[in-house]
Amino acid sequence: MPRAATTALGRQRPGYRQFLPVVQGATLIEWTGTGLFLAVSTVYFVKAAHLSTSSVGTGLTIGGAVAIAAAVPVARLAARFGAKPVLIGVMLLRALATVGYLRVDGWWSFLLVVAVIAVTEQSSPPLVQSYVGACTPESLRAKVMAVQRTVVNLGISLGGLIAGVALGSGAPEAFRPLLIGGALAYAVVAVVYAVAPGGEAATTVGGARITDLLKDRRLLGFTAYNALVSLWMPVLNVAFPLWLVTGTQVPERYVGILYAVNTVLCIALQYPLNRCYRTTRRAWLSYAAAALLLGCGALAFAAAPRFGPREALLVLGAAVVLLTFAELLQVGASWTLSFDLAPEQARSAYLVLFNTSRTVANRVAGPVLMTGVVLALGTAGWIALACALLLGALVPFVMLRGA
């Protein structure tokens, strides 16, 4: 490495070392607060807010659609003011909306709160990613984001554990401290970022630039492809537990155990696997591997009902492991390629719009696809999903060949 480059990197690393504990500490607080409510949200909506399961599902889907529509205004704000101040505002709004759950007394108030929460949940990760990009040397971004994803999983697990203990009594009043605790966590995160050093500078990007961004075929195509490979989320969170209960002879108690397998593997392997997606070429190959693994996982789900309880459990366990590796590779590759795609002067705006792919997969199209197509068709639905994903595994090779 040339001496000048070595010196420049040496000057960057002290800032990086000061920044890392701040952002990872904020991440742990944020996702512990999220985990407090995430594990029990459906129970709260039905038991405490007295909503039907169908109305909850409809409200969550509409909330996801609102979040997608809000991506452009949020991107405009991020482009004009930079990631850090918008992130602070998002956290404060998220804190208020979390407290707002306590005031839900019907479907319309539920929809209002869910929509605000969906917008803030969608906006937070890309803004944090942009902040990381502004404060971290390019050669270290994959490592930093891998550590961050590990901290995210730790926070969710910690919050879920606390929630489980708090709700052990079964009393409806137990939800209140969880919601207040989550709101306080987001408020603390806003304060942490407010005093944190560095960040992306504000720009003068205006409406014309946002319009050009929406016409960027690379961005739109990559966003659509990422939504396809992000289907591991509704497969894991919607289709898998319902398929285990309705399509196989495996006892329901194994849902939680297999989820634990996913969580433990994510915590243990996200950082070691960062070598797989540090460069653009490796990131595209990771996408191909993720789509291939998802397709194989879908085939394993399709095969599970053919076996007895013990053998089906092993098949489902293998499917969850395949999904977990797909998750790790897809998430990591998306960091590298989204950074490469986004011009530095409009990075926050690009990342906010790109992150709508996760909302489409997880909140809008994904759940409907899983329940209305895959599970409705049963084995044939899983096979159709596998075929789509296996075809999707070819896309990265086309992109690399054209590069």
Side-chain angles (χ1 to χ4, degrees):
M1 180 182 292
R3 183 175 181 181
T6 304
T7 304
L9 183 58
R11 285 197 301 266
Q12 284 179 304
R13 282 191 174 180
Y16 156 74
R17 289 169 179 162
Q18 294 171 7
F19 148 79
L20 183 59
V22 173
V23 72
Q24 305 302 351
T27 298
L28 181 62
I29 296 170
E30 175 187 353
W31 287 94
T32 299
T34 300
L36 287 174
F37 189 60
L38 189 64
V40 297
S41 58
T42 304
V43 179
Y44 173 79
F45 296 144
V46 174
K47 289 191 173 181
H50 307 294
L51 299 170
S52 67
T53 54
S54 60
S55 64
V56 169
T58 302
L60 292 174
T61 299
I62 295 175
V66 171
I68 293 173
V72 171
V74 173
R76 189 187 297 272
L77 290 172
R80 185 170 295 278
F81 299 107
K84 183 176 171 181
V86 179
L87 180 60
I88 293 169
V90 163
M91 286 299 167
L92 292 175
L93 183 60
R94 198 172 177 184
L96 290 173
T98 302
V99 174
Y101 274 128
L102 296 173
R103 307 294 296 177
V104 169
D105 57 2
W107 189 79
W108 287 106
S109 56
F110 161 74
L111 180 61
L112 175 62
V113 175
V114 161
V116 175
I117 289 290
V119 171
T120 58
E121 283 184 352
Q122 175 182 268
S123 303
S124 171
L127 291 171
V128 172
Q129 184 184 356
S130 182
Y131 182 55
V132 169
C135 298
T136 308
E138 183 177 354
S139 60
L140 299 176
R141 285 174 186 163
K143 285 187 176 181
V144 174
M145 294 303 296
V147 172
Q148 172 142 341
R149 185 79 198 293
T150 302
V151 174
V152 166
N153 284 305
L154 285 171
I156 291 175
S157 300
L158 179 59
L161 180 62
I162 295 171
V165 172
L167 293 177
S169 63
E173 295 79 12
F175 289 105
R176 188 177 187 87
L178 294 178
L179 289 168
I180 294 175
L184 288 174
Y186 301 138
V188 169
V189 171
V191 173
V192 170
Y193 280 118
V195 300
E200 183 186 50
T203 70
T204 58
V205 178
R209 186 56 181 266
I210 293 295
T211 302
D212 293 341
L213 185 151
L214 291 173
K215 295 179 181 179
D216 190 325
R217 292 184 179 181
R218 293 185 309 152
L219 172 63
L220 298 179
F222 183 37
T223 300
Y225 180 68
N226 191 65
L228 172 66
V229 189
S230 295
L231 286 177
W232 62 262
M233 290 185 283
V235 168
L236 186 64
N237 297 323
V238 178
F240 152 63
L242 292 175
W243 186 244
L244 183 146
V245 172
T246 63
T248 75
Q249 302 176 47
V250 178
E252 294 180 17
R253 65 179 181 273
Y254 286 104
V255 171
I257 294 174
L258 292 177
Y259 268 126
V261 170
N262 169 264
T263 301
V264 170
L265 288 177
C266 284
I267 292 172
L269 297 178
Q270 187 74 75
Y271 183 79
L273 285 177
N274 79 84
R275 294 176 180 271
C276 297
Y277 44 76
R278 285 184 188 176
T279 66
T280 299
R281 179 176 177 80
R282 289 183 182 181
W284 275 119
L285 293 176
S286 291
Y287 261 108
L292 179 63
L293 290 169
L294 280 173
C296 292
L299 292 176
F301 281 122
R306 296 178 176 270
F307 300 97
R310 184 176 300 178
E311 294 80 6
L313 176 61
L314 293 175
V315 173
L316 290 174
V320 169
V321 171
L322 291 171
L323 257 66
T324 302
F325 276 93
E327 171 187 351
L328 294 169
L329 292 173
Q330 179 272 323
V331 170
S334 71
W335 299 330
T336 299
L337 293 180
S338 58
F339 267 125
D340 288 348
L341 180 69
E344 185 174 355
Q345 68 274 17
R347 179 182 293 138
S348 294
Y350 267 72
L351 294 179
V352 167
L353 288 177
F354 170 72
N355 200 57
T356 59
S357 58
R358 292 176 59 85
T359 304
V360 170
N362 196 35
R363 284 182 174 268
V364 182
V368 174
L369 176 65
M370 293 303 127
T371 57
V373 179
V374 174
L375 294 180
L377 296 176
T379 300
W382 284 111
I383 293 174
L385 177 64
C387 291
L389 290 165
L390 293 175
L391 286 174
L394 301 177
V395 172
F397 296 101
V398 175
M399 297 301 298
L400 287 172
R401 188 172 182 178

